Amino acid sequence: GQAWLALINKLLSDGHEVSPRGQKTKELLNVTLCVDEGLCNIITCERRDINYRFMIAEWLWMQAGMSDVETIARYNSKISQFSDNGQIFNGAYGPRLINQWEYVVKSLADKDTRQAVASIWTPSPKPSKDIPCTLTIQWFIREDKLHATINMRSSDVWLGIPHDFFNFSQITNVVSTYVGFPVGSITMNLGSSHLYERDSLVAQACVE
C-alpha cells in the first residue's frame, strides 16, 4: 500500500494535466512501481472502498480464461458498461492468457531465461469500449525467486492499480506453484500513470 500511496502523492504534486477522451487527468509518463514482496498485494485504505469480493472473483474469472459479462457482473454490476455487446468483454485477459501458460512454464524450466513472456495486447485493435490496458507479463527466476514484470500502456492509479496488482501477483503465485520457486518482486512499468480529476479529492484525503 505504501508504493500505491506514494504514486498517488506523486501524481497529485507533479502530474501534468491531460484530457484523453475529454476526461481530465493528472498524468506521469514512464512510471515504474515495484514491490519487493509481491504477495503483499491487498490495499487496505478505508477511503478507497475496495470491493474485495469482486477483486477475488475477477482474479478467478481471469485465471479460468473467462470473458462473459454475466459471471463477473454478479460481483460488480457497473463493469457491464465496458462490454460492447453486453455478453462478453472483448479485452478480457483470461482468454488471451490461458493458452500461454504451458509456454511460460516450459520457458521457466531454464532458470536463466528471458523468454517467459505472455502477451495481452492485440496489434491494431478495432474500436471498442474494452481495449486492454496491459501489454505483456514477463517472469524471471532470479536468486531462487519468481519475479514478474508487467508492462502497461495505461494505468488508473485509483481504480486500476489495487485490482491490477492483486491480479498479477496472484497469477504469478499460480505460476510459482508450477516452477517451484516462491514469488519475489512484482514490477509494473506504466506508460501512462494517471489520476482522474473526479477521483482527486478522495485520493488526496488518502495521502494526507
Side-chain angles (χ1 to χ4, degrees):
Q2 293 303 312
W4 176 67
L5 291 172
L7 180 53
I8 289 174
N9 198 44
K10 185 73 172 174
L11 281 162
L12 287 167
S13 61
D14 299 341
H16 301 283
E17 292 187 2
V18 294
S19 300
R21 302 186 310 281
Q23 301 182 67
K24 290 184 178 181
T25 71
K26 283 197 169 184
E27 177 188 66
L28 291 170
L29 298 181
N30 303 316
V31 170
T32 296
L33 179 70
C34 183
V35 176
D36 290 334
E37 298 294 331
L39 292 184
C40 294
N41 58 11
I42 297 178
I43 291 171
T44 56
C45 174
E46 289 186 8
R47 291 185 178 275
R48 175 63 175 93
D49 186 19
I50 295 174
N51 181 345
Y52 294 107
R53 290 178 70 247
F54 168 67
M55 177 183 284
I56 294 169
E58 184 183 32
W59 163 56
L60 294 173
W61 178 76
M62 184 186 302
Q63 188 67 30
M66 301 176 74
S67 63
D68 70 298
V69 172
E70 182 181 4
T71 297
I72 197 62
R74 297 173 188 171
Y75 303 93
N76 182 350
S77 59
K78 294 181 180 179
I79 198 171
S80 59
Q81 66 184 301
F82 297 104
S83 169
D84 295 320
N85 62 10
Q87 298 178 3
I88 65 167
F89 294 98
N90 287 326
Y93 293 2
R96 297 161 188 258
L97 290 171
I98 196 165
N99 293 324
Q100 299 183 66
W101 297 133
E102 183 178 358
Y103 166 78
V104 167
V105 172
K106 283 185 176 179
S107 295
L108 289 168
D110 173 3
K111 287 174 56 177
D112 296 326
T113 191
R114 297 169 298 198
Q115 297 182 15
V117 178
S119 299
I120 295 175
W121 180 255
T122 298
S124 305
K126 295 179 181 180
S128 172
K129 292 188 287 186
D130 188 27
I131 301 292
C133 293
T134 306
L135 308 177
T136 61
I137 312 173
Q138 184 174 9
W139 290 273
F140 301 92
I141 296 173
R142 298 293 187 270
E143 298 178 346
D144 292 328
K145 288 187 177 181
L146 180 67
H147 306 277
T149 298
I150 298 95
N151 294 300
M152 303 188 70
R153 65 170 183 86
S154 174
S155 176
D156 179 343
V157 71
W158 184 252
L159 292 179
I161 284 285
H163 292 274
D164 290 335
F165 189 91
F166 178 78
N167 284 329
F168 296 135
S169 62
Q170 288 296 102
I171 287 171
T172 300
N173 195 29
V174 172
V175 174
S176 79
T177 66
Y178 285 96
V179 300
F181 292 92
V183 175
S185 64
I186 304 291
T187 300
M188 301 177 71
N189 295 317
L190 315 175
S192 164
S193 176
H194 50 265
L195 174 66
Y196 283 95
E197 183 180 60
R198 60 177 176 265
D199 300 318
S200 60
L201 288 178
V202 67
Q204 177 72 59
C206 277
V207 297
E208 289 178 345

